[in-house]
Amino acid sequence: MAPLTAPARHNLPRPGTGFVGRERDLSDLLRLLGSSRSVTLCGTDGMGKTRLAIRLAEQSTVSFPDGVWMADLADARTTLEVYARVCAAVGVVEEPGQPLSATVTEALRDRRLLLVLDSCEHVADQVTEVGEALLAACPSVSVLLTSEAPFRLSGGTVWRVTPMALPLPARKGPPPDPSGSEAVRLFLDRARTCDPRFSVSARELETVTELCDLAGGIPLGIEVLGASAPGIGPEALVGKLRAYLSSPAARPGPGQAVSRIEMLPLVLDFVYSGLPEAERVLLRRLSVFRGWDLELAEQVCADEALPESAILDLSTSLLNRSLITVTGEFEGRVRYRLPEAVRRFAHSRLVAEGEAELFQERLLERMLHLVEDLGLKLESSRSMPWSERDAGRRRVIAEYGTLRSLLRWSLDHGAAESGLRLCVSLVAHWVSHQCYAEGAHWMDRLLELEDAAKAPSRARALVGRAQLARVRRDHELALSLGEEGLRLCREAGDEVFVRTALNLLALVEVRNRVPDRAAVRVEEALRLCREAGDLWGEAVALGTRAALVAQQGDHPTADHHYNAALTLLRGIDHRWGVGVALIGQAYAAEAGGDLVTADRCYREALDTQRLIGAVAEEARCLAGIGRVARAQGSTGQAYDYLSEGLLLSHSTGQRADAARALTAIARVAFDSGLRESACRLAGAATSVRERLGLPAYAAPWPFTDAERTRRQRRRLVHWWEQGRGLSLSGAVREGERLAEEGRRPPSRRPAPPQAGSTGRGARKGPPPSPESVAPEELLTKRELEVALLVSRGESNPAIARTLFITSSTAARHVANINRKMGFNSRTQIAAWVQRHQRSD
């Protein structure tokens, strides 16, 4: 049976412990989110703001069909970093040559989603800037913030997260049952998580209430006390806590008092002082991480005083004490983190012990080894399974929070060499995951440090920064930095990066259409790579040589060079390189009219891009298959692939690719006689290109030569100009409608939309009755496949695996089916399909 609703779309973490209490807060906040587009949860450390935000977001998924997405801003400091984390959270991919802010804003413009921004207190001004921009431009986006300090966005609300409720005695009547209060319930839950046999008497319940009161009602304080209770019992625990709070170490200065919300540091210090020495040592050292697994903790934290063999048991004990939490698994390894309040407390103790610099440097060395191993594996000429080569790439993703903190530490401490070494090896990550702006941000700031001019890694850093400039299409900067980096690498005898720089400069010269200089660069790179046995570098050079000769119109020779590059890359099982080369070969074959080769290359590249999770390239492959299908006369297939590529490009924020897909759909429609709609779509695509600063053409491009009479041409221009008024989202909807209409026989096509229509209103009146229309009559081929799988109870991930599409694309197809039929659940889709299957 199909599920009642579509699976929730979110990236929310799964806390390792249950959520207890806050029922009234949740109820009120859910209503507040329905009336206010911006809510800030404000409260001191340990008050449970993040857990409350996650719970609230979980219960809000039904109100946000485009999902709820969380971004952790704990280490962010700049507006760019905030945008980068929002971008990663919502699945938007950076556009080359475009501001990240514009890409994110346009991608979210018509989405109905909830954005959760956690730990905003360090970047309140930057979050305000980003939040105000999104709320102004994206009318269906809501924002949920957490912050220690209160601040609000325009029209927003600040909700103060207060200590948990304790039993309140009534003026008249029996005393309240302590077990009903949320603070006591949380205490007992954490105690029973530590020891399921834990139980308390009625007298001990009063003691538990006192413990919760001594903790100030702060959830984190209650949790760590609750986790300590099974070992010594509530009576002994409260006695020790009272004694500690009465001691000189815990007393404030003369005439001062400790408020309830200031109790957490005292509770943490009390629990810390009661730990065995080895656990205190490990807790302090773990504060250098933003997340870790057991192997990493053993490598960084172990020494003579703390044997590696003891770290597992010590970690388990700290976990049972609620001082560390489980965040999930990565490749079969459990991942941990410290609650931020615990991490700050532990780090202060690490500083007090004089070990902060030592263990920060140990962590830095380990992370340098990790990222340098990533670079070596991705560019290694040794044959190895792709899973082994890709393992480093995936590991960097898992450790990226810690890597960011180390980049920040290097910058703050003026440690140019360590920071630049990190950056040089992270270039491969930033390029493959299209995080160009963030990479450029870190490299620029580190290269500006006083010691950067003398740093041994400066030459390699300049080449790496030039690589980021190239993919961002800042070719002038790429050339200047690349030339300087090449010169310094030659002087230093760094043959590896000499070859890298030559390949980079050759690619830039090809893009700049300077064939003579490109040829000189590529031939030198090819010679040096062959002399060194550098198969990866040789394959890159062959691909560049292929692009150069294709640009000059020699497509058969280009195909030969691409095949040579692919032979090398397949020989070492380098899937990422194979995918890039295949797309280049497909472009060249398509331009040369070799449709069979183009189709084969696009399809093979599509499988590769899906394997490595490169969604922007996946969309380009889909569009390429669609263009080839049109050239081969397969109109239905052209519509299928182009519309799927269009949706994926739009959902990931790739406006230029979306404009290309719109133009391609317009060409198919024009060929089919749908001239008015085709012209409107082409005008909309041209408008998008103009806004991006890309070359644009005069009306009614690309149908400029389609009509010879002035009157007919004026009609095309009129329709084309109408399309220029469409927003990108409106054009995408128009493209979907046009692809759906184009698949039908002419006799069953509806009338074209009126001027000013955004495409959503193309179908007039209410949705059709499920009894009167069969799925085959209304749905596209792909939507019909999705609907049939929904009727069998398949989830979006299962549909994605069956149809070789992404889960987000499957979800969007489900949403389109619901929109067309006026449905609001998968059950209705399933019933509709099954009804017509029975009638057949």
Side-chain angles (χ1 to χ4, degrees), residues 88 94 400 404 429-440 468:
E94 183 176 345
Y400 196 51
R404 273 174 167 153
H429 168 82
W430 288 325
V431 170
S432 65
H433 288 84
Q434 293 172 288
C435 304
Y436 319 134
E438 185 176 8
L468 293 173

Side-chain angles (χ1 to χ4, degrees), residues 710-791:
R710 184 176 298 178
R711 179 181 176 185
Q712 292 296 329
R713 179 180 167 80
R714 278 202 302 266
R715 291 179 63 194
L716 298 185
V717 171
H718 174 69
W719 293 331
W720 194 89
E721 292 291 349
Q722 284 181 347
R724 287 174 56 81
L726 290 172
S727 67
L728 176 57
S729 296
V732 170
R733 291 193 293 270
E734 177 97 345
E736 288 183 79
R737 182 199 63 77
L738 185 53
E740 175 189 338
E741 179 183 340
R743 294 183 185 92
R744 301 177 183 175
S747 60
R748 293 176 53 195
R749 292 174 183 168
Q754 298 299 312
S757 167
T758 64
R760 187 180 293 277
R763 179 177 290 107
K764 304 298 181 182
S769 165
E771 292 80 11
S772 65
V773 61
E776 297 82 359
E777 299 177 54
L778 187 65
L779 303 182
T780 68
K781 179 182 177 182
R782 179 66 85 190
E783 288 169 351
L784 182 59
E785 292 172 337
V786 170
L788 289 170
L789 291 170
V790 168
S791 73

Side-chain angles (χ1 to χ4, degrees), residues 224 268-269 271-273 275-289 292 301 306 311 314-315 317-319 321-325 337-339 341-350 355:
V224 297
L268 290 176
D269 191 55
V271 172
Y272 173 80
S273 64
L275 296 176
E277 176 60 21
E279 290 185 25
R280 289 202 297 267
V281 170
L282 179 59
L283 183 65
R284 291 196 301 265
R285 295 177 181 181
L286 291 173
S287 68
V288 298
F289 294 105
W292 72 89
C301 298
L306 190 68
I311 288 182
L314 294 173
S315 297
S317 179
L318 291 173
L319 178 64
R321 297 176 189 273
S322 291
L323 291 170
I324 65 177
T325 61
R337 68 181 295 271
L338 292 174
V342 175
R343 194 193 69 78
R344 292 179 191 173
F345 170 85
H347 195 262
S348 70
R349 294 301 181 270
L350 188 68
E355 295 183 329

Side-chain angles (χ1 to χ4, degrees), residues 355-519:
E355 295 183 329
E357 294 293 323
L358 170 64
F359 283 93
Q360 195 74 31
E361 288 172 2
R362 290 185 67 172
L363 175 64
L364 177 61
E365 283 302 314
R366 179 58 200 160
M367 289 292 107
L368 279 168
H369 175 76
L370 186 150
V371 297
E372 286 172 351
D373 181 63
L374 161 71
L376 290 173
K377 282 184 175 177
L378 277 182
E379 299 184 4
S380 172
S381 297
R382 179 171 64 88
S383 178
M384 67 180 79
W386 171 249
S387 58
E388 179 183 345
R389 197 183 297 274
D390 194 43
R393 189 174 71 100
R394 296 195 302 272
R395 182 67 185 276
V396 166
I397 296 171
E399 305 296 352
Y400 196 51
T402 294
L403 288 165
R404 273 174 167 153
S405 73
L406 289 171
L407 287 169
R408 173 71 57 193
W409 182 87
S410 298
L411 187 62
D412 291 344
H413 287 73
E417 172 59 13
S418 61
L420 290 175
R421 277 182 66 192
L422 278 173
C423 285
V424 168
S425 295
L426 281 171
V427 166
H429 168 82
W430 288 325
V431 170
S432 65
H433 288 84
Q434 293 172 288
C435 304
Y436 319 134
E438 185 176 8
H441 163 77
W442 287 116
M443 296 194 85
D444 288 345
R445 299 194 61 184
L446 286 161
L447 283 167
E448 290 169 358
L449 291 176
E450 184 177 349
D451 291 343
K454 302 175 184 177
S457 295
R458 182 171 182 268
R460 289 188 167 197
L462 290 171
V463 176
R465 180 63 182 88
Q467 288 176 300
L468 293 173
R470 181 188 70 80
V471 291
R472 297 184 79 193
R473 296 181 184 166
D474 188 346
H475 299 138
E476 183 178 350
L477 180 61
L479 282 175
S480 64
L481 293 176
E483 292 279 8
E484 185 181 358
L486 175 61
R487 178 182 61 81
L488 293 174
C489 287
R490 287 192 196 274
E491 291 175 0
D494 187 345
E495 296 179 359
V496 172
F497 267 71
V498 166
R499 299 193 297 269
T500 300
L502 286 169
N503 270 327
L504 159 75
L505 291 168
L507 283 166
V508 177
E509 300 289 16
V510 169
R511 173 66 72 168
N512 283 346
R513 296 185 176 274
V514 187
D516 293 341
R517 283 192 294 190

